[in-house]
Amino acid sequence: MSEAFPDIPKIKYEGPKSKNPLSFKHYHADEVVAGKKMKDHMRFGVAYWHAMRNTLSDPFGGGTSQKPWDDGTDSIANAQRRARVCFEFMEKLGVDYYCFHDRDVAPEGRSLAESNASLDAVADELERLQRDTGKKLLWGTACLFAHPRYNQGAATSPNANVFAYGAAQVKKALEVTHRLGGEGYTFWGGREGYATLWNTNLKREMDHLARFMHMAVDYKKKIGFAGPFYIEPKPREPSTHQYDSDSAACLNFLREYGLLEHFKLNIETNHATLAGHTMRHELEVALAAGALGSIDANTGDELIGWDTDQFPTDIYLTTEIMLVLLKMGGFTTGGLNFDAKVRRESFEPVDLFHAHIGGMDAFARGLKIAAAIIEDGRLEGFLKQRYSTFDSGIGAQIERGDVGFEELEAYTLKNGEPAIGSGRQEMLENLVNEFI
């Protein structure tokens, strides 16, 4: 097979003074920042469904994307050719990981058996490509939302036969993820929710969803898959309400049904926006529960009311994300997966490179800034001082659980009105701006 991107060389680091649009200005894979190489901090991933399959259609017009390597058929040969293109793209971009949906890497057949055979045939090619290039699968997942059978959900469908079909599809996707050495497996419940409560038994659907997840845990153990399961929060779209609406809702669900030890969260920026939260909020909630696993790196347009899946270029955003990751100690199995698509007007193959280069550079800058803020120590010092009344005396007793309302009433009657300090929000915003 001839090259899909013959005019594009391997993307190199050329530094911030370079005018070459096909070069990294800030991302230098082997540069050590905060004790690790950049590539090890980031663990960048290419989203197969966007990079290789997205046609760039929108509600008002058909696709514009030019993919000259794709003949538009659902043949196995075409699917295997796409896989080779994806690995050429990763090789030239210098990205080590990819993520896939089962129905995006391989065509859906007329039966489950035919679909499984198609996935196996493409997995053969993916396995060969991974072996030849050293590229890795960050995580896999099953597409339980696109086919009409899932129009009312998969694990939360009112139809037991649909539930069974979804379980069979996840079984196969998990097997293939395991075969390809996937470091995790993701559940995104795009249809696991409702359009109206008039036709919905919410409690029963939530119970069914939990039963589905427990089955997945059981099968994971049976086949020896050691990677974590991820749940990806999103509040709505395509459903009016999705049960995995944000980090807190996911954590509550996992705790209620005894699943927390088996799952972490895969947080996406644009989904946080739709939930009415900042990305940093969602990450901090997950981190506080010890459940931050992986990140879908994108952003959204706050002027548009849907999931636009844009590439991240906001340095404040990437700085905040990297501050949380550094506080966590870095990824173990997760990474920064670019769940993002080029704009409909950016339809040429080279635009895929421009988009990923921009995102990788933005995160490289965010990493350096975050590391510098931490090394400087003033932000952390302020936070420590702000909560210092809990480090000793009555505060320490509160945290240890040594006192109750009666003791605190007596303490307050003796000590009177508390003296409080300013939150210094503007000062801290100025401090961060020193580094950006």
Side-chain angles (χ1 to χ4, degrees):
M1 174 180 166
S2 59
E3 289 191 12
F5 309 99
D7 300 324
I8 299 175
K10 186 164 185 174
I11 308 302
K12 297 179 180 179
Y13 171 76
E14 296 183 3
K17 293 184 178 180
S18 173
K19 303 299 182 184
N20 176 11
L22 291 174
S23 70
F24 294 119
K25 314 302 187 298
H26 302 278
Y27 178 66
H28 191 186
D30 292 324
E31 180 181 348
V32 175
V33 178
K36 282 200 293 192
K37 292 181 179 180
M38 275 195 183
K39 65 180 181 180
D40 296 326
H41 278 294
M42 312 300 194
R43 291 164 61 90
F44 286 125
V46 168
Y48 199 99
W49 53 96
H50 279 316
M52 293 296 107
R53 301 307 312 272
N54 201 307
T55 64
L56 305 184
S57 62
D58 67 17
F60 306 101
T64 61
S65 177
Q66 295 177 357
K67 293 182 171 61
W69 56 82
D70 195 319
D71 65 16
T73 68
D74 283 334
S75 69
I76 299 298
N78 194 36
Q80 291 173 330
R81 182 164 53 249
R82 285 192 207 105
R84 293 191 288 273
V85 172
C86 186
F87 276 72
E88 178 190 336
F89 177 67
M90 287 192 291
E91 188 71 23
K92 289 190 171 183
L93 188 62
V95 168
D96 293 330
Y97 295 92
Y98 71 106
C99 301
F100 75 74
H101 297 146
D102 54 353
R103 297 300 184 248
D104 286 310
V105 294
E108 179 138 18
R110 291 165 293 184
S111 66
L112 179 64
E114 188 175 311
S115 297
N116 287 349
S118 297
L119 187 53
D120 281 334
V122 179
D124 289 342
E125 186 67 2
L126 291 170
E127 190 172 37
R128 182 189 69 80
L129 289 163
Q130 288 183 198
R131 183 177 61 249
D132 291 349
T133 65
K135 305 302 181 186
K136 302 173 184 177
L137 177 61
L138 189 64
W139 52 256
T141 188
C143 177
L144 302 184
F145 50 87
H147 193 281
R149 80 173 68 88
Y150 298 126
N151 72 76
Q152 296 170 69
T156 61
S157 172
N159 188 310
N161 295 310
V162 174
F163 182 106
Y165 203 110
Q169 191 174 330
V170 168
K171 174 182 178 290
K172 185 62 178 180
L174 185 53
E175 290 168 353
V176 170
T177 299
H178 183 39
R179 170 188 169 187
L180 295 175
E183 299 193 13
Y185 184 90
T186 295
F187 293 88
W188 177 62
R191 305 283 181 188
E192 311 296 19
Y194 59 79
T196 175
L197 282 171
W198 291 116
N199 63 8
T200 301
N201 185 329
L202 185 148
K203 177 63 166 63
R204 202 169 189 185
E205 290 194 0
M206 294 284 281
D207 289 347
H208 292 170
L209 180 60
R211 176 62 58 196
F212 192 97
M213 297 304 190
H214 274 290
M215 291 178 183
V217 169
D218 291 342
Y219 193 65
K220 165 188 170 178
K221 293 177 180 177
K222 183 174 183 177
I223 65 174
F225 179 63
F229 280 162
Y230 303 127
I231 288 184
E232 183 172 327
K234 188 180 184 182
R236 55 184 170 84
E237 192 214 37
S239 301
T240 301
H241 173 81
Q242 286 156 214
Y243 296 130
D244 300 328
S245 55
D246 64 5
S247 290
C250 288
L251 292 168
N252 183 67
F253 168 81
L254 293 170
R255 291 188 186 107
E256 180 180 354
Y257 288 100
L259 287 160
L260 187 56
E261 67 178 294
H262 305 292
F263 285 82
K264 294 185 181 296
L265 303 187
N266 180 54
I267 310 295
E268 178 177 319
T269 308
N270 209 169
H271 294 178
T273 305
L274 291 175
H277 302 309
T278 65
M279 179 58 163
R280 187 176 179 186
H281 169 89
E282 289 292 273
L283 293 173
E284 291 279 7
V285 170
L287 177 61
L292 176 55
S294 196
I295 291 174
D296 271 8
N298 65 16
T299 191
D301 190 327
E302 294 185 3
L303 300 179
I304 298 177
W306 64 77
D307 195 357
T308 53
D309 283 336
Q310 295 171 232
F311 278 84
T313 57
D314 184 334
I315 308 304
Y316 279 92
L317 169 65
T318 59
T319 297
E320 289 177 343
I321 291 173
M322 294 314 299
L323 276 168
V324 176
L325 282 178
L326 289 174
K327 181 163 62 172
M328 184 176 74
F331 289 119
T332 52
T333 57
L336 292 166
N337 170 49
F338 284 115
D339 188 7
K341 59 186 176 183
V342 294
R343 298 302 87 195
R344 192 166 182 269
E345 301 89 343
S346 304
F347 50 81
E348 296 178 354
V350 68
D351 290 313
L352 286 171
F353 285 91
H354 292 311
H356 284 80
I357 289 168
M360 294 165 75
D361 268 345
F363 271 104
R365 291 186 65 188
L367 170 62
K368 289 182 176 181
I369 293 166
I373 290 172
I374 292 171
E375 184 178 4
D376 173 78
R378 282 178 290 165
L379 179 60
E380 182 58 32
F382 178 85
L383 285 172
K384 182 175 177 56
Q385 176 60 34
R386 191 174 187 221
Y387 292 92
S388 62
T389 57
F390 285 94
D391 293 336
S392 61
I394 193 66
Q397 292 177 53
I398 291 170
E399 289 197 344
R400 289 195 304 266
D402 293 343
V403 293
F405 277 3
E406 292 170 318
E407 291 84 359
L408 293 176
E409 179 192 43
Y411 175 87
T412 302
L413 287 170
K414 178 181 178 180
N415 289 276
E417 188 67 27
I420 60 173
S422 170
R424 298 277 190 266
Q425 177 177 333
E426 293 78 10
M427 181 193 79
L428 297 175
E429 289 170 341
N430 296 344
L431 188 158
V432 172
N433 277 345
E434 289 181 30
F435 295 89
I436 294 180

